[in-house]
């Protein structure tokens, strides 16, 4: 079978190779992978900034956002032809991983398919334990590749809503920073709760991103970091801010404009940013006197994947066709290297694996 | 009756005056105040840095940590001789205040007795609505003056524990920053949960503060901000950090050493600190990849006061006499001005009002 691999630490090392077909063992199913989504982490890995090979290998198969179809269920309860999304993390021995909270791993020895210590899904076939395969209904076949990024947003939103519960006042205004795939999925998920949503990005109002924001009834705000500040003055108490740019300057600006009893959820990271001078005393005082909260969230567990599938169904029902509009570029497997060059106006690139 | 007042905005304006006895109206009880605790806010108000008079007054009666005894229950269900602690905040019209969550006020028009727009408790008598009087058992008579600061710590700990619940791993190690009254009460409250506790302050190990920390089975750490960093290396994953110094440099240091899935609770503020250069990108990344949380908390509501009374009973049972050792100075009402000069080695100054 064909597989797209990289040599971690080596810039632009992405290449296609021929590999042996995987063989299933007990408890595993053979999955024919259909589609793979490319995200910023894949691009960073191909830049040599990130990534770790599986033990005893000198390369790693890229890709961690996928959907596939059961080719051979083996001894599992899955059926041939069932659609599944593979999860990303694999557990270590810590108490959280052992209870299925792979996303809250305490010791950091987890593996992440396509990222850290385990092969990813940029390939034609996968032999996988049923514990890490999440069933998806066939109606979602063409958008289920968005399940993994949706699970990241789902975890963040679920926790933010729970934390905001310490206050009797309901969430009214929610702000999403960034209108990439994560920001757009976050916008739609929040809109399922009918909050007043403002999604910010630097692209113009005529862009597809802005149109997608407005299509679900959220407000698109075209601007930069200072727009967050002026936004807070205009629209009222910012109850919830979901940070999906990974820009730490934006994150700290968001901290300072967060509303009374507000919750700021940080979902993104990016490398190579400069130190920032902050008015620590002022921030500290604002957080204390305003009962404010900032939390980070990474990865997702099986529950988040399962609830994301439910949410994708609800989004598709409420705004038919919207999710497929997030996939702005489709490439065949032999062209996957093109997906690792960020293209302007592109939202989500998907590699067709069959 | 005698009352200790200040003119907000005017430095060292604290003085004793003679006032009319308060008269109770329907739903109110007349309270003979017994003891009043002085804290940093009182000192800041007397420095002219803080404080706001009640409407149509040019002074404010100081004091917000008190215990009293019912002199005349009026039409309330309280009994003559009952011991009570008056709450600090008075509600505005916002949804949170109206539901009793005065501590989560959304609009900021609340009043705070002795601090903002309402007279405090540094006086001999108080006419007060029963809704703001929390009964305390007579066994706590000599330590119930600590109920208000205990309620601040109670709110912080309750919320921190709830937020930490998003992770399956239990809280094992908790750090308390500062061994003033709030830090010490926080230490004892956390120790009721039998966590491994490390309480830091700058005073030597021979000090009363350090002895009080060790008396409840917590570990005293003598050091400065960098001790927080080295502590994390030595003892393991810092699951919970309670910041009780109000120093924003300490707060940001704490952020950077917080453990995986850790929760940092900011309970203190202080004025006049310098801007700080932080590695925002690094902090952002640590918070995201480590599922970390920072939240601020201010004030407390009736539930926190009531549960603090319960906790004070538990602390007194488990470490008899410990709470009274926090009160290191007692002054009569005519000497209350002395309490507004911070004294070295002093922990809590209490004014005897009768």
């Amino acid at each position: 079978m064909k597989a797209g691999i990289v040599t971690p630490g080596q810039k632009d090392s992405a290449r296609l190779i021929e590999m042996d077909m995987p063989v299933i063992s007990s408890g595993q199913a053979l999955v024919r992978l259909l589609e793979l989504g490319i995200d910023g982490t894949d691009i960073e890995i191909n830049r040599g900034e990130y990534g770790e090979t599986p033990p005893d290998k000198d390369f790693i198969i890229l890709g961690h956002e996928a959907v596939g179809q059961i080719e051979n269920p083996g001894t599992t309860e899955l059926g041939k032809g069932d659609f599944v999304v593979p999860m990303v993390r694999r557990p270590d021995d810590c108490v959280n991983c052992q209870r299925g909270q792979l996303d809250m791993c305490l010791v950091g020895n987890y593996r992440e398919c396509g990222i850290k210590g385990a092969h990813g899904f940029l390939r034609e076939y996968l032999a996988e334990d049923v514990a890490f395969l999440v069933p998806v209904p066939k109606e979602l076949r063409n958008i289920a590749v968005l399940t993994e990024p949706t699970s990241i947003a789902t975890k963040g939103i679920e926790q933010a809503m729970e934390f905001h519960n310490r206050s009797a006042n309901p969430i009214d205004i929610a702000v999403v920073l960034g209108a990439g795939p994560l920001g757009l999925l976050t916008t739609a998920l929040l809109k399922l709760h009918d909050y007043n949503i403002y999604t910010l990005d630097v692209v113009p109002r005529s862009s597809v991103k802005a149109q997608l924001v407005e299509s679900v009834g959220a407000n698109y705000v075209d601007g930069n970091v200072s727009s967050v500040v002026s936004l807070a003055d205009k629209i009222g108490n910012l109850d919830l801010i979901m940070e999906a740019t990974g820009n730490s300057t934006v994150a700290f600006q968001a901290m300072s404009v967060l509303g009374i009893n507000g919750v700021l959820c940080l979902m993104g990271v990016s490398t190579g940013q400069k130190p920032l001078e902050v008015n620590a005393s002022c921030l500290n005082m604002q957080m204390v006197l305003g009962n404010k909260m900032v939390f980070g969230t990474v990865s997702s567990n099986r529950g988040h994947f399962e609830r994301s599938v439910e949410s994708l169904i609800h989004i598709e029902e409420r705004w038919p066709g919207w999710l497929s509009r997030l996939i702005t570029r489709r490439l065949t497997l032999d062209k996957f290297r093109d997906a690792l060059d960020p293209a302007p106006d592109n939202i989500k690139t998907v590699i067709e694996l069959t």
Side-chain angles (χ1 to χ4, degrees), chain A:
Chain A
M1 68 165 185
K2 288 181 203 150
I5 67 165
V6 295
T7 305
Q10 189 178 315
K11 195 165 155 58
D12 289 328
S13 64
R15 59 201 184 273
L16 203 63
I17 62 165
E18 193 65 37
M19 289 181 77
D20 289 342
M21 274 288 289
V23 178
I24 57 172
S25 50
S26 176
Q28 287 193 323
L30 184 70
V31 182
R32 185 166 61 98
L33 291 166
L34 301 172
E35 295 186 349
L36 181 106
I38 296 291
D39 82 351
T41 301
D42 301 313
I43 293 171
E44 286 180 3
I45 293 172
N46 188 46
R47 278 205 220 111
E49 293 169 3
Y50 206 66
E52 185 186 315
T53 62
D56 304 324
K57 303 283 180 199
D58 56 6
F59 67 90
I60 182 171
I61 301 177
L62 208 60
H64 57 277
E65 303 177 1
V67 59
Q69 200 170 10
I70 299 296
E71 178 90 4
N72 176 1
T75 58
T76 73
E77 289 179 1
L78 292 165
K80 183 171 161 64
D82 286 358
F83 292 96
V84 289
V85 167
M87 290 167 56
V88 182
R89 280 207 181 173
R90 298 295 173 269
D92 61 27
D93 293 334
C94 84
V95 57
N96 290 335
C97 281
Q98 289 303 310
R99 290 188 198 181
Q101 284 196 330
L102 312 168
D103 58 312
M104 301 298 280
C105 177
L106 262 182
V107 297
N109 294 326
Y110 59 82
R111 289 162 297 136
E112 283 181 325
C113 296
I115 302 172
K116 178 177 180 285
H119 282 318
F121 312 130
L122 185 55
R123 50 172 151 165
E124 293 174 296
Y125 291 93
L126 169 73
E128 187 57 86
D129 286 358
V130 69
F132 305 115
L133 294 173
V134 180
V136 291
K138 63 176 186 298
E139 309 88 83
L140 292 188
R141 190 251 178 247
N142 292 325
I143 48 176
V145 70
L146 299 172
T147 304
E148 195 276 341
T150 305
S151 74
I152 303 297
T154 295
K155 179 184 170 190
I157 291 170
E158 283 181 358
Q159 296 193 346
M161 287 174 63
E162 193 185 321
F163 300 148
H164 192 274
N165 265 341
R166 69 170 166 157
S167 171
N169 68 293
I171 295 171
D172 175 20
I173 297 175
V175 172
V176 180
L177 301 174
L182 184 58
L184 287 167
L185 289 166
T186 301
T187 300
L189 288 170
L190 287 171
K191 204 63 207 177
L192 289 178
H193 297 277
D194 288 323
Y195 302 144
N196 291 309
I197 298 172
Y198 295 80
T199 300
L200 277 85
D201 206 319
V202 292
V203 296
R205 299 189 64 82
S206 57
S207 67
V208 176
K209 285 180 179 177
Q211 289 164 20
L212 285 165
V213 167
E214 304 271 349
S215 298
V216 295
N219 306 283
Y220 180 72
V221 182
D222 159 17
N224 50 27
V225 177
S226 64
S227 309
V228 188
V229 182
S230 59
L231 190 69
D233 292 337
K234 274 181 221 155
I235 61 176
N237 196 64
L238 307 187
D239 300 311
L240 177 59
I241 305 181
M242 304 292 294
E243 207 298 301
T245 71
N247 182 312
S248 56
T249 303
V250 174
F252 270 79
Q253 284 271 8
M255 238 178 260
S256 67
V257 296
L258 189 61
I260 300 291
N261 306 337
V263 176
L264 166 59
C265 171
L266 305 175
M267 300 188 289
V269 295
S270 53
T271 51
Q273 290 169 40
K274 287 179 189 167
L276 184 73
E277 187 171 269
V278 299
N279 191 330
S281 177
C282 180
L283 263 184
N284 188 36
M285 188 172 293
Q286 286 174 343
M287 287 195 65
V288 171
L289 299 184
N291 289 301
K292 300 183 189 187
M293 171 183 298
V294 182
F295 76 100
T297 170
V298 68
S299 195
S300 54
N301 63 39
R302 190 173 179 100
H304 303 123
F305 272 81
E306 288 171 347
R307 293 189 291 281
S308 293
V309 171
E310 294 300 312
S311 296
L312 289 173
I313 294 170
H314 294 316
I315 292 172
E316 187 63 15
E317 280 170 0
R318 189 150 163 192
W319 303 288
W322 186 86
L323 286 163
S324 64
R325 290 171 63 200
L326 267 60
I327 301 169
T328 44
R329 186 165 57 159
R330 288 182 179 270
L331 299 171
T332 51
L333 180 50
D334 57 316
K335 296 265 175 38
F336 88 91
R337 289 179 52 124
D338 293 351
L340 300 171
D341 295 318
D345 300 331
N346 185 47
I347 299 175
K348 175 62 74 183
T349 302
V350 163
I351 312 295
E352 310 269 10
L353 299 173
T354 44

